[in-house]
């Protein structure tokens, strides 16, 4: 049984994430303790609310360092919703420009859509070689957000690199935005797998299978 820590930094959805992971066979601990978060087989970073407030809470539990140390050692991390957004360089919400963790280039900004928030079920366009979305073609996932990453430059045209580019999954609501990223040990989804029924459970199962 894989041991998964759900990082408690004061930004909701902890118990629903805990229950969803337990249902797919993980041993789950909700924690703000750095050692517990570092030692787990996998770390889940959930998040709801404003980008800047989430970053403030993350820094209060030394979350930026925890995420960085895990990734430096190739230890898996999964970000969910705002827990995905804070992995990017910056977030611009309500006129507040806040610094993120900087694991990926990109800016979290308002979606350009006639109706916001984007709330409800939506399909995604995943790469053929996606691990997270294996077996999930044409499935729908549950989104609740008004902000997203509309441009993800990493891995696009530019100098060649020995590192494999991230696998990026996209969705559309008014315009196109990043719905998921798989980048070595770091994965994330803009939607809530814990609220996405059988499809979300399969995605969490796929992630658990990547844990060593």
């Amino acid at each position: 049984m894989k041991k998964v820590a759900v990082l408690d930094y004061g930004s909701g959805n902890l118990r629903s994430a805990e229950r969803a992971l337990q249902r797919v066979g993980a041993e789950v601990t909700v924690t703000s303790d750095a050692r517990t978060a570092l030692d787990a087989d996998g770390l889940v970073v959930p998040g709801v609310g404003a980008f800047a407030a989430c970053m403030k809470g993350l820094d209060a539990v030394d979350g930026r360092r925890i995420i960085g140390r895990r990734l430096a050692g190739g230890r898996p991390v999964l970000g969910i919703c705002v827990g995905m957004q804070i992995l990017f360089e910056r977030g611009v919400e309500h006129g507040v420009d806040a610094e993120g963790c900087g694991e990926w280039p990109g800016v979290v900004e308002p979606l350009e859509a006639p109706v916001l928030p984007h709330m409800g079920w939506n399909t995604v366009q995943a790469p053929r070689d996606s691990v997270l979305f294996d077996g999930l073609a044409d499935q729908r996932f549950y989104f609740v957000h008004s902000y997203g990453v509309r441009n993800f430059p990493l891995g696009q045209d530019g100098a060649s690199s020995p590192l494999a580019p991230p696998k990026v999954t996209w969705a559309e609501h008014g315009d196109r935005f990043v719905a998921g990223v798989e980048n070595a040990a770091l994965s994330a989804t803009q939607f809530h797998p814990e609220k996405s029924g059988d499809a979300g459970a399969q995605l969490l199962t796929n992630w658990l299978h990547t844990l060593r």
Side-chain angles (χ1 to χ4, degrees), residues 15 23 32 34 41-42 59 70 92 118 135 142 162 205:
R15 298 305 167 188
R23 282 195 296 269
S32 59
D41 297 317
D59 285 338
R70 285 192 61 92
V92 181
H118 172 215
Y142 190 79
T205 298

Side-chain angles (χ1 to χ4, degrees), residues 7 11-12 48 60-61 63 114 132 143 161 183 206:
L7 188 63
S11 182
V48 295
V61 300
L132 280 185
F143 291 83
S161 169
N183 184 199
N206 290 346

